[in-house]
């Protein structure tokens, strides 16, 4: 390139060839497309001999992330998408189409509830929400056109642990696809695919990435459905950017060590909360998995507690509309994640104006307890 003119040299400044650079970690493939030697080489992509063509379809960073999570889930195939919600959409559209029906649990994350109850209508897909705590109501809701049974392994925000084997059995008996959002549990605690679920979904924005700096989603599961979900992702433009995939992949490496610490802290905090005068109820699962019960603790403050004062006095614990970072944080389901759920469901599930969801981080447990103790004292 040295013999070329100024502008050409500027554009073609890079001298390192990828094949010559043995970087220790996977580089970020911040590229929209891949180059080919000739037309025959391009044909190689379509015949399956070349992995990458265009980053909306696939990218090495996305591929690594998707495969990495799928392996941890014990699933043969994975796809990485732009968010947890787009992962849910692509997975659902891979298994259901116009005229089909889904049976979903009625204590879903609010965003999923909205996607199912409102947006899927424009795709001609109907959803019935029922309590999955009751197998009979699931069976009664299944119709001849039902294609999917959908639930969360640990529900948001009240932490009901799904009976996954029961769900798998019900799905198999009725010849429908089972899907589980495993965001709260992660494969560190629960592996729904290994238990027979067809498709596992993640908001990788949460524990998979773990540092609250990336929005991403994962669909992992049966090869054919994941392949169709990947096609939906590409055709609807729900792909993840390479840098975000790289960030999520970097987080994935420490999933176990983060979860181990966060789960231990959460168990201790749940116990501590039970002894607090300002706390009416503590939601924390009892037997979610052999490795513990998750890193989210949901509490209901006493009716007499001033919830505003509680949030205002949390010192370093931030009030946010997310969870699962290494920092302890709190969120307010009624005002954020479950804001658009119908009032009767909100009431039925007990998501009152005193319910607070705590995402427990990796800090020292004594500091976490002190922060909540101070805020609770200010609330009474
Ligand atoms: C259980 C669960 N599933 C899905 C989502 C949606 O994920 P995202 O925000 O990455 O689209 C969330 C978001 O909070 C969630 O809590």
């Amino acid at each position: 390139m040295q013999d070329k003119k100024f502008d050409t040299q500027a554009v073609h400044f890079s001298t390192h060839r990828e094949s010559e650079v043995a970087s220790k970690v996977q580089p970020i493939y911040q590229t929209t497309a891949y180059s080919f030697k000739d037309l025959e080489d391009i044909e190689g992509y379509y015949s399956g001999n070349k992995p990458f063509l265009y980053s909306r379809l696939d990218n090495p960073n996305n591929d690594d992330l998707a495969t990495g999570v799928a392996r941890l889930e014990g699933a043969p195939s994975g796809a990485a998408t732009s968010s947890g919600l787009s992962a849910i959409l692509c997975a659902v559209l891979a298994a259901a189409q116009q005229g089909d029906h889904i049976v979903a649990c009625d204590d879903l994350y609010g965003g999923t509830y909205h996607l199912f109850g409102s947006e899927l209508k424009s795709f001609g897909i109907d959803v019935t929400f029922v309590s999955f705590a009751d197998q009979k109501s699931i069976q009664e809701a299944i119709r001849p056109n039902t294609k999917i049974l959908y639930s969360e392994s640990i529900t948001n925000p009240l932490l009901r642990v799904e009976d996954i084997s029961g769900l798998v059995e019900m799905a198999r008996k009725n010849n429908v696809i089972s899907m589980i959002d495993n965001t709260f549990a992660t494969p560190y605690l629960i592996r729904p695919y290994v238990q027979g679920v067809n498709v596992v979904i993640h908001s990788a924005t949460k524990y998979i990435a773990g540092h609250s700096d990336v929005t991403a989603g994962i669909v992992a599961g049966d090869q054919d459905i994941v392949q169709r979900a990947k096609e939906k992702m590409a055709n609807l433009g729900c792909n993840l950017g390479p840098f975000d995939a790289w960030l999520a992949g970097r987080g994935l490496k420490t999933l176990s060590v983060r979860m181990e610490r966060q789960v231990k802290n959460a168990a201790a905090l749940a116990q501590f909360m039970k002894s607090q005068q300002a706390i009416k109820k503590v939601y924390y699962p009892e037997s979610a998995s052999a490795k513990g019960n998750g890193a989210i603790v949901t509490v209901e403050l006493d009716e007499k507690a001033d919830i505003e004062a509680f949030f205002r006095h949390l010192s370093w614990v931030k009030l946010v509309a997310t969870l699962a970072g290494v920092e302890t944080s709190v969120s307010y389901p009624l005002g954020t994640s479950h804001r658009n759920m119908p009032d009767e469901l909100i009431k039925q599930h007990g998501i009152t104006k005193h319910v607070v969801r705590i995402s427990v981080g990796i800090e020292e447990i004594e500091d976490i307890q002190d922060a909540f103790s101070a805020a609770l004292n200010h609330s009474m």
Side-chain angles (χ1 to χ4, degrees), residues 269 272 276 313-317 364-377:
L269 185 69
F272 174 82
Q276 297 299 296
H313 288 91
L314 271 172
S315 63
W316 53 268
V317 178
E364 296 283 342
I365 184 64
E366 288 77 13
D367 290 328
I368 301 173
Q369 288 169 346
D370 287 351
F372 281 102
S373 170
L376 288 170
N377 289 340

Side-chain angles (χ1 to χ4, degrees), residues 107-111 152 154-160 183-184 206 296 298 323 331 333 337-338 341 351 357:
D107 48 355
L108 287 172
Y109 159 62
E152 294 170 0
I154 301 180
T155 61
N156 178 359
L158 297 182
L159 314 176
R160 181 181 62 82
T183 299
F184 274 35
K206 311 296 171 0
I296 304 292
T298 299
L323 61 119
S331 68
S337 57
H338 291 69
M341 247 196 186
I351 305 173
R357 192 185 67 201

Side-chain angles (χ1 to χ4, degrees), residues 83-86 88 109 112 152 156 181 183-184 203-206 215-216 321 323 357:
S83 68
L85 219 54
S86 67
I88 298 169
Y109 159 62
T112 311
E152 294 170 0
N156 178 359
D181 180 331
T183 299
F184 274 35
S203 166
T205 315
K206 311 296 171 0
T215 301
L323 61 119
R357 192 185 67 201

Side-chain angles (χ1 to χ4, degrees), residues 99-111:
D100 287 340
H101 174 245
I102 297 171
V103 179
C105 68
D106 66 2
D107 48 355
L108 287 172
Y109 159 62

Side-chain angles (χ1 to χ4, degrees), residues 63-76:
D63 200 38
D64 266 6
L65 173 67
T67 310
V69 177
R71 281 203 188 124
L72 296 183
E73 286 287 2

Side-chain angles (χ1 to χ4, degrees), residues 43-121:
E43 282 310 310
Y45 170 78
Y46 292 99
S47 55
N49 296 324
K50 284 261 171 177
F52 306 110
L53 175 79
Y54 186 61
S55 277
R56 176 162 51 74
L57 315 180
D58 215 339
N59 172 290
N61 297 111
N62 299 33
D63 200 38
D64 266 6
L65 173 67
T67 310
V69 177
R71 281 203 188 124
L72 296 183
E73 286 287 2
S77 202
T81 67
S82 57
S83 68
L85 219 54
S86 67
I88 298 169
L89 177 65
C90 294
V92 161
L93 295 181
Q97 49 190 324
Q98 192 176 12
D100 287 340
H101 174 245
I102 297 171
V103 179
C105 68
D106 66 2
D107 48 355
L108 287 172
Y109 159 62
T112 311
Y113 189 89
H114 179 77
L115 171 70
F116 283 7
S118 304
E119 302 295 344
L120 283 188
K121 278 201 177 83

Side-chain angles (χ1 to χ4, degrees), residues 272-328:
F272 174 82
M273 285 304 211
K274 284 182 191 158
S275 66
Q276 297 299 296
Q277 196 212 334
I279 295 290
K280 184 174 155 195
K281 190 164 180 181
V282 176
Y283 294 88
Y284 190 63
E286 272 174 11
S287 46
S289 91
K291 281 188 180 159
N293 298 307
I296 304 292
V297 179
T298 299
V299 292
E300 183 176 14
L301 272 65
D302 193 276
E303 282 112 53
K304 291 193 291 296
D306 179 345
I307 190 83
E308 291 281 2
F310 168 77
F311 285 126
R312 271 201 304 270
H313 288 91
L314 271 172
S315 63
W316 53 268
V317 178
K318 288 186 178 143
L319 169 60
V320 295
T322 191
L323 61 119
V326 290
E327 307 90 356
T328 297

